[in-house]
Amino acid sequence: MKPAHHLDPATVVAFAAGALSEAMAVVAATHLAGCSHCHEQVRDAERIGGVLVEQQQPDGAGAARREKLRAAMLERLDETPVEAPGLAPALPAAPDPDRLPAPLHPYFGTSFGALKWRWMAPGVHCIRSAGTGGGQLFMLRITPGRSMPLHSHGRGELTQVLRGAYDDVLGHFGPGDVADLDSEVMHQPVTAAGVPCICVAALDAPLRFPGWLARRLQPLVGL
Amino acid sequence: MKLQPTGGTPSPFEAIRIVSTSKLPANDGHDWSAEMVAVAQRRDRASFMRIYDHFMPRVCLYLKGMGSTAAIAEELAQEALLRLWQRAASYDPALSRVSTWLFRIARNLHIDRVRKETGWMLVQHALEAEEADHDGRTGSSAEAYAEHTRLKACIDRLPATQARLVRMSYFEAKSHHEIAEELGMPLGTVKSSLRRAFLKLQADVRGAA
């Protein structure tokens, strides 16, 4: 499965820089987990980050403090490394079609089968994730052959197709494809025939205003 | 391990001269991955401390820019450098520069500890597992080094606006939306400028053989 629709390079930079809101980062990572093309782009963007960090010119101040930190570091070189326990995800022996992509696990659980869908509109079910400090993160399940209302987004939107497919003015989006939209795009997705279309999507929100403001802003603008 | 020390390895004399220079120019020709190879192969403390002296204040500055207090930035920068020492055995100079490695470690520590985004580390582990499966990129330390030098020059040549957006992204972790608001630019313009900047830098890294 090779994705046909990729992340915008501007989104790649933001991901690598740690500048995406948490919700957008989760959707981007879900795409990256299945897209070696975008993954390679992120590695390039991280190289740029490395060079930028190295190019900075620290001032010479705080020599005494620096000497103290240096001595502290020398003392720690004999420490036995502490490995963070239980962080590596256990990979299933065989690909399990019911398993959600790993980046979604902390937000939606591990399997499609256990998702608790909530009715939103005829043919449309939704799950909103509570755990993100910035941006709105949600999953959508839309019955086949359904036309969504024409809409645009006040902010950026990132949508990754997990199952099924939809078509809009930008093309055909199937499993593994990501739609990286900015506020100027008006679109009217129509889900393809066959299986329901399941997507994970994020709406951008300012990183620095998590919590109450994000909750007040109407999610799913225009849907 | 695919470690091939290159001709860029400084002699002990050169190395001493380099560390004892009080003010290092940003574009000094030091090949840090050769030092890293010495750390990986011989647990060379002198090499490690040269890396430390060069990068510690830079990583610290980076973390402060990202929004850490001075104390947290120091703590996380120390932690990042310590990880470099502890994980040196898995360092492959053909795959990444020391600066790239440190950038990733520092960024991850910041998002995990300061922003407390629970999913970030899990996401990174998932991506690293993926990466181990299909790492197509090969190359030598010397190639990676030349690439690094070209990239530095290319960053310096970016038009002012693009350079500013790149810096706001990397050093202040500002989203496109926040940049647009702060600079009074349309969101689409922010994205297209960043896109152009990235493609330019990337072409320079990849194109010139």
Side-chain angles (χ1 to χ4, degrees):
Chain A
M1 173 182 81
K2 278 223 161 185
H5 297 278
H6 297 286
L7 295 171
D8 187 310
T11 307
V12 166
V13 166
F15 180 85
L20 281 185
S21 67
E22 184 173 5
M24 301 280 272
V26 169
V27 178
T30 305
H31 178 75
L32 290 169
C35 181
S36 52
H37 167 79
C38 288
H39 205 151
E40 197 56 52
Q41 306 266 322
V42 168
R43 291 298 170 244
D44 285 344
E46 288 175 339
R47 272 181 207 114
I48 295 167
V51 173
L52 285 167
V53 166
E54 198 183 346
Q55 267 187 330
Q56 296 182 104
Q57 284 297 302
D59 53 22
R65 179 75 193 142
R66 196 151 309 152
E67 209 42 54
K68 209 174 159 197
L69 289 165
R70 194 178 195 279
M73 178 56 59
L74 272 167
E75 270 181 30
R76 293 183 70 185
L77 296 187
D78 293 317
E79 273 179 23
T80 319
V82 192
E83 274 308 314
L87 269 173
L91 293 171
D96 177 357
D98 192 45
R99 194 176 165 83
L100 282 171
L104 299 180
H105 293 181
Y107 305 93
F108 297 103
T110 58
S111 72
F112 283 97
L115 292 171
K116 302 250 184 307
W117 293 104
R118 298 181 65 163
W119 186 89
M120 210 188 135
V124 183
H125 285 75
C126 180
I127 304 171
R128 281 179 60 190
S129 167
T132 57
Q136 301 282 341
L137 179 67
F138 51 94
M139 288 183 74
L140 281 174
R141 188 185 70 192
I142 305 159
T143 51
R146 190 174 169 80
S147 171
M148 304 298 287
L150 185 69
H151 65 281
S152 66
H153 306 271
R155 296 161 281 162
E157 186 208 274
L158 205 54
T159 305
Q160 166 85 7
V161 180
L162 303 174
R163 281 184 177 176
Y166 74 82
D167 294 87
D168 69 8
V169 65
L170 298 170
H172 179 80
F173 290 79
D177 286 332
V178 69
D180 190 345
L181 307 176
D182 58 39
S183 51
E184 280 122 60
V185 178
M186 286 283 276
H187 74 150
Q188 181 167 32
V190 181
T191 51
V195 295
C197 181
I198 298 181
C199 307
V200 60
L203 291 179
D204 205 1
L207 266 178
R208 299 190 203 288
F209 304 105
W212 68 271
L213 181 61
R215 277 195 296 277
R216 276 196 200 177
L217 294 170
Q218 258 306 311
L220 316 183
V221 183
L223 273 181
Chain B
M1 227 184 313
K2 297 172 265 180
L3 298 180
Q4 291 171 336
T6 65
T9 314
S11 71
F13 262 141
E14 284 167 336
I16 288 165
R17 184 179 54 75
I18 289 165
V19 250
S20 63
T21 307
S22 62
K23 197 129 183 158
L24 288 173
N27 286 315
D28 69 272
H30 201 81
D31 183 357
W32 296 106
S33 63
E35 301 274 24
M36 203 55 209
V37 169
V39 176
Q41 291 180 336
R42 301 195 305 274
R43 305 301 285 157
D44 188 325
R45 285 177 186 232
S47 282
F48 175 73
M49 289 314 285
R50 279 190 288 273
I51 293 173
Y52 175 90
D53 288 336
H54 181 71
F55 283 103
M56 164 66 189
R58 291 173 164 83
V59 171
C60 221
L61 260 185
Y62 164 67
L63 289 166
K64 277 189 222 163
M66 294 282 280
S68 283
T69 62
I72 303 269
E74 260 179 15
E75 185 196 321
L76 294 185
Q78 292 279 85
E79 178 75 26
L81 268 301
L82 186 63
R83 288 193 187 190
L84 198 76
W85 165 257
Q86 291 174 339
R87 297 179 190 172
S90 65
Y91 177 71
D92 182 345
L95 287 178
S96 66
R97 302 284 309 162
V98 176
S99 62
T100 310
W101 227 37
L102 264 175
F103 169 74
R104 283 166 77 166
I105 296 172
R107 176 201 61 189
N108 291 351
L109 282 171
H110 174 82
I111 295 177
D112 187 43
R113 304 261 185 92
V114 180
R115 292 218 307 247
K116 301 197 191 315
E117 291 183 10
T118 46
W120 180 264
M121 286 315 286
L122 222 128
V123 159
Q124 292 300 314
H125 283 278
L127 291 179
E128 276 166 28
E130 189 76 19
E131 195 168 69
D133 283 350
H134 57 69
D135 219 321
R137 185 174 276 257
T138 51
S140 69
S141 156
E143 280 168 30
Y145 181 59
E147 188 182 284
H148 188 78
T149 310
R150 280 198 303 272
L151 189 53
K152 276 180 178 169
C154 191
I155 288 173
D156 290 337
R157 286 197 307 268
L158 282 182
T161 305
Q162 288 178 24
R164 182 160 188 203
L165 298 187
V166 164
R167 287 180 185 279
M168 285 175 91
S169 299
Y170 281 97
F171 289 141
E172 297 166 40
K174 292 221 158 81
S175 69
H176 302 152
H177 182 78
E178 289 172 300
I179 294 174
E181 288 208 327
E182 195 173 316
L183 300 185
M185 285 167 83
L187 185 62
T189 311
V190 170
K191 287 181 85 165
S192 60
S193 298
L194 265 176
R195 193 181 300 141
R196 275 201 298 279
F198 175 65
L199 294 177
K200 215 178 283 174
L201 297 175
Q202 192 183 34
D204 213 77
V205 165
R206 293 186 164 187

